[in-house]
Amino acid sequence: MAIVFPEGTQDFASKICDMKFAYFDGTQSSYIHTPENTDTAWDNISQLVLNHACKSTSNRVLLQYQIGATADSNTNDCGNNFRFYNNTDGHHLGVGESSGNRLRCTTSNNYAGSWSYEYFTFVHHASFVWHPNSTSTKQYTVQFNPGDSTSTSNGTHINRSHGYSTTSTGNRWQSTTICTFTLMEIEGTV
């Protein structure tokens, strides 16, 4: 924020005027819904939903997530794809360029299912500053997509590895993770 004085402009640091937080410590899976159409496979991650109304139309929101995920198997070409989504206005936020039929994601890892990656949990982190230009309540979520359009059996698992089992006594190394979603409203322009 800047204030104009007779002797010149004084810049002050932006300040956080509100914050919201959500987390998901359960497990969730998603699979391709329609073969050859990866855009239909976006699902919301459970409990990563934040409703927020900015105090001023000039304010911005800083969105951040941390997600642990793995691909469905070590024989399918699966991936882990994530994006911020504005449910109220029906559009994604902070994604890559539009390039042919490629998925537009905030973070991604491809071919996560080759060799022994079904036992790996990949951690995704992202930040994006969004200007809603509104004081109306908006609902923000984090969505995920398995990424491979060839088969409805290809999927992504949240907060666990593909080989994870709650009954297996010898595989304590196949641990679980947590997903977090944070929203901070930043006063003024960024």
Side-chain angles (χ1 to χ4, degrees), residues 172-187:
R172 289 182 55 85
W173 55 271
Q174 291 187 33
S175 52
T176 59
T177 59
I178 188 170
C179 297
T180 62
F181 184 29
T182 306
L183 178 152
M184 290 179 261
E185 181 179 350
I186 302 169
E187 189 176 272

Side-chain angles (χ1 to χ4, degrees), residues 126-141:
S127 297
F128 186 70
V129 176
W130 172 246
H131 183 204
N133 196 27
S134 171
T135 56
S136 298
T137 298
K138 306 286 183 185
Q139 184 178 82
Y140 302 99
T141 63

Side-chain angles (χ1 to χ4, degrees), residues 5 22 30 32 37 44 56 59 68 90 94 105 121 127 134 136 138 149 182:
F5 294 97
S30 178
I32 291 295
N37 187 354
N44 293 338
S56 167
N59 291 358
C105 308
T121 301
S127 297
S134 171
S136 298
K138 306 286 183 185
S149 63
T182 306

Side-chain angles (χ1 to χ4, degrees), residues 154-167:
N154 296 351
T156 292
H157 302 294
I158 301 295
N159 287 339
R160 71 173 180 88
S161 66
H162 173 65
Y164 173 80
S165 169
T166 58
T167 59

